[in-house]
Amino acid sequence: MKKLKILVVCGTGIATSTVVSRKLEEKLSERGYEVETRQCKASEVESNLEGIDIIVATTPVPENLGVPVVRTLAFLTGVGEDEAIEEVISKIGGDVQK
Amino acid sequence: MKFEEMIDEKLIFTKMDFGSAGEVIGFLSDELFKNGYIKETFKQAVIEREKKYPTGLQLGNINVAIPHTDIEHVIKSGVAVCTLSSPIKFHRMDKPREEIPIHIVFLLAVSEPNEYVKFLSKLTSSFGKKETIRALISTDNKKQIKKILKDILKEDGE
């Protein structure tokens, strides 16, 4: 079984991304996914992509990273959280098993 | 971390008047500094970071900003809260080129994110609840604000 590896990106890689990481771990494990998160600053995305299945970012990130990106504040503010989880799951693709 | 250590009544300010994001960040940083939460470098670091990675959160009619910076500028975790008598413009976190009017500023001093994350998570999740946000800006009583924040932290039975 493959773990779902998520890169969580915010401005400093400290406060916001920690909140978002814990929320993603909670919500995705409720749906049966095994999740591993890594956090980084928006400026360090490119050097943190190895093994990453999807990026969840609260700030703009560079385009054409070769990894799907979900940009949302939902995991921070709780507004539209269910829709955002659906978006993450729909972008993961078929190779990540529950 | 105990609730009393996270919400310090000395760091709650209501219906204040400022002309810019930099002014309110400067004021709240000075208060955090006076109370031993941050190093002298914190203020400038937050202002610089805000330019590059702004923290305005568009929520609806009432919006919130959560300026913060790297842990190296922080001595102990805490938060300074300020409601504004008239809104101040901050740039949006998700769309940095856009400015939005901000009604409440939470200046976050984070020294160890994992220890602080439950508090932060509950705080930011409450931003999505309109009645909570409205309650925060409708009072000029610090004790009332402290109580609202305390109730936020109590939710979900933790």
Side-chain angles (χ1 to χ4, degrees), chain B:
Chain B
M1 201 184 206
K2 284 184 187 142
F3 165 76
E4 280 70 21
E5 295 167 40
M6 294 184 234
I7 305 287
D8 187 340
E9 215 174 297
K10 290 199 292 289
L11 296 173
I12 297 174
F13 303 91
T14 58
K15 306 208 170 168
M16 302 282 287
D17 265 309
F18 294 101
S20 69
E23 272 182 33
V24 63
I25 290 171
F27 169 78
L28 292 175
S29 296
D30 290 344
E31 295 297 327
L32 281 170
F33 184 71
K34 271 188 231 164
N35 287 284
Y37 286 86
I38 53 161
K39 299 177 189 169
E40 254 182 313
T41 52
F42 180 90
K43 187 198 307 193
Q44 199 53 39
V46 172
I47 289 170
E48 287 305 317
R49 183 199 180 273
E50 193 67 31
K51 284 181 196 160
K52 221 173 160 191
Y53 299 109
T55 61
L57 302 174
Q58 168 83 54
L59 303 169
N61 296 329
I62 305 164
N63 303 312
V64 172
I66 51 165
H68 55 274
T69 188
D70 294 313
I71 56 176
E72 64 194 71
H73 306 287
V74 178
I75 295 165
K76 59 176 179 176
S77 289
V79 57
V81 187
C82 179
T83 64
L84 301 163
S85 53
S86 47
I88 286 175
K89 281 183 178 167
F90 273 71
H91 288 267
R92 284 176 68 153
M93 184 185 285
D94 54 343
K95 295 176 184 167
R97 284 182 190 165
E98 285 180 27
E99 279 186 322
I100 49 169
I102 294 294
H103 304 74
I104 310 173
V105 177
F106 291 89
L107 183 61
L108 308 174
V110 181
S111 66
E112 209 292 297
N114 288 313
E115 150 214 25
Y116 199 52
V117 67
K118 251 188 194 159
F119 167 74
L120 256 184
S121 177
K122 288 196 173 183
L123 180 69
T124 60
S125 300
S126 75
F127 297 163
K129 297 174 187 132
K130 285 194 174 116
E131 60 278 21
T132 306
I133 290 299
R134 196 164 296 130
L136 281 175
I137 63 162
S138 350
T139 182
D140 54 9
N141 183 328
K142 293 183 178 201
K143 285 205 164 58
Q144 180 65 21
I145 289 191
K146 190 171 174 177
K147 186 183 175 300
I148 296 166
L149 294 174
K150 196 172 175 178
D151 289 344
I152 290 170
L153 298 180
K154 268 194 202 154
E155 280 172 23
D156 307 328
E158 281 181 49

Side-chain angles (χ1 to χ4, degrees), chain A residues 9-69:
Chain A
V9 182
C10 71
T12 49
I14 301 287
T16 313
S17 59
T18 307
V19 173
V20 172
S21 296
R22 294 299 95 77
K23 190 57 75 73
L24 279 168
E25 286 160 9
E26 178 197 320
K27 292 285 165 191
L28 287 167
S29 67
E30 277 172 13
R31 291 174 180 242
Y33 288 92
E34 212 183 325
V35 178
E36 189 183 308
T37 56
R38 185 190 300 164
Q39 295 165 227
C40 78
K41 300 182 185 198
S43 57
E44 294 168 355
V45 173
E46 274 139 325
S47 53
N48 279 286
L49 287 176
E50 204 187 321
I52 291 297
D53 298 300
I54 187 163
I55 296 168
V56 176
T58 58
T59 56
V61 294
E63 287 177 17
N64 304 320
L65 292 167
V67 176
V69 176

